[in-house]
């Protein structure tokens, strides 16, 4: 029996369309899964990553900004410091 989650299973569990999952894979937001018999087989960790992507989108981040946040792997640096994309808190909110 093949291990890993098929794209259909991930789509069903997350509510994200398979076409969107393939797009996220294409732009590097989710890792390229292994293939078994030509089918994508995602690791379970993709579910948590997709949840974070959803939260970021709900918070107003663009996909480009989310890519920057995921790409930042400097130890000890808050992820908020990675994104210098022009996002600033409203005046007086600090």
């Amino acid at each position: 029996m093949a291990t890993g989650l098929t794209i259909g299973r991930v789509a069903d569990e997350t509510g994200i369309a398979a076409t969107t999952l393939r797009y996220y894979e294409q732009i590097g937001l989710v890792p390229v899964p292994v293939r078994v018999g030509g089918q994508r087989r995602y690791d379970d960790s993709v579910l948590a990553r997709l949840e974070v992507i959803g939260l970021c989108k709900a918070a107003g981040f663009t996909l480009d900004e989310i890519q920057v946040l995921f790409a930042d792997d400097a130890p000890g640096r808050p992820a908020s410091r990675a994104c210098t994309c022009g996002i600033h808190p409203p005046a007086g909110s600090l």
Side-chain angles (χ1 to χ4, degrees):
M1 183 173 174
T3 59
L5 303 169
T6 64
I7 195 166
R9 177 87 183 267
V10 173
D12 287 344
E13 290 193 27
T14 62
I16 297 171
T19 54
T20 301
L21 294 170
R22 286 189 286 270
Y23 179 68
Y24 286 176
E25 179 185 326
Q26 179 184 352
I27 65 172
L29 278 179
V30 297
V32 176
V34 298
R35 290 187 180 252
V36 176
Q39 289 187 331
R40 289 169 169 83
R41 297 294 175 152
Y42 292 93
D43 184 82
D44 290 346
S45 64
V46 77
L47 300 175
R49 188 172 185 99
L50 290 167
E51 185 176 358
V52 171
I53 291 169
L55 290 170
C56 289
K57 286 177 64 179
F61 286 90
T62 66
L63 292 180
D64 288 338
E65 292 166 340
I66 297 169
Q67 284 177 307
V68 170
L69 292 173
F70 280 149
D72 181 42
D73 58 0
R77 179 166 65 171
S80 60
R81 301 271 187 217
C83 189
T84 57
C85 339
I87 297 174
H88 303 285
S93 67
L94 296 178

